[in-house]
Amino acid sequence: MNSRVDSRGSSALDLFVWFVVALLLIAAIGGNYYFSEYSLLYRVLAVLALVLVAGFLGLQTNKGRDFNRLRKEAWVEVRKVVWPTRQETMQTTMIVVAVVVVVALLLWVIDTLLGFLIKTLIG
């Protein structure tokens, strides 16, 4: 039985930092509405600055560091993907379009046939 205790649990400092992050985001939203008479450019820059500061603070917590590590690992995996060539993409797209058209025609024929049969039965 593997009973390992994670010693990196949420500390009081982490909780305080998340509280500050929430306050910054609330200030960004509220400030955007409160200063609505000012230029949109200034409001966007202020909101962007507050969001960046909140993001930076969030990344300083244990959960933030875990998220950043996951983001980096995901990016490494994305670089390992072998993406299809343009020709492969076009061929696959044409196959999908052809199958969709065939299925649509098949459903149209079945619908028409069933409609005719029901109209014949009902009168």
Side-chain angles (χ1 to χ4, degrees), residues 57 75 95:
L57 287 176
W75 189 248
I95 290 170

Side-chain angles (χ1 to χ4, degrees), residues 13-23 54 58-59 61-64:
L13 181 60
D14 278 357
L15 291 175
F16 176 73
V17 171
W18 284 117
F19 179 72
V20 171
V21 166
L23 286 179
L59 287 176
T61 64
N62 287 331
K63 293 290 184 188

Side-chain angles (χ1 to χ4, degrees), residues 1-44:
M1 184 180 289
N2 188 3
S3 59
R4 191 176 68 132
V5 176
D6 190 6
S7 63
R8 299 179 314 144
S10 293
S11 66
L13 181 60
D14 278 357
L15 291 175
F16 176 73
V17 171
W18 284 117
F19 179 72
V20 171
V21 166
L23 286 179
L24 286 171
L25 294 177
I26 290 170
I29 294 168
N32 186 43
Y33 287 111
Y34 184 75
F35 296 108
S36 62
E37 68 273 0
Y38 289 95
S39 171
L40 179 64
L41 175 65
Y42 296 139
R43 290 186 290 141
V44 167

Side-chain angles (χ1 to χ4, degrees), residues 30-93:
N32 186 43
Y33 287 111
Y34 184 75
F35 296 108
S36 62
E37 68 273 0
Y38 289 95
S39 171
L40 179 64
L41 175 65
Y42 296 139
R43 290 186 290 141
V44 167
L45 290 175
V47 167
L48 187 60
L50 286 173
V51 167
L52 287 175
V53 169
F56 175 76
L57 287 176
L59 287 176
Q60 304 310 308
T61 64
N62 287 331
K63 293 290 184 188
R65 284 189 288 275
D66 290 344
F67 173 78
N68 200 29
R69 186 176 54 242
L70 176 67
R71 182 191 58 81
K72 288 178 182 177
E73 291 172 1
W75 189 248
V76 168
E77 292 301 319
V78 165
R79 284 187 264 157
K80 291 180 184 178
V81 173
V82 178
W83 298 101
T85 63
R86 180 176 174 86
Q87 180 183 3
E88 292 170 335
T89 303
M90 293 300 291
Q91 289 173 347
T92 305
T93 302

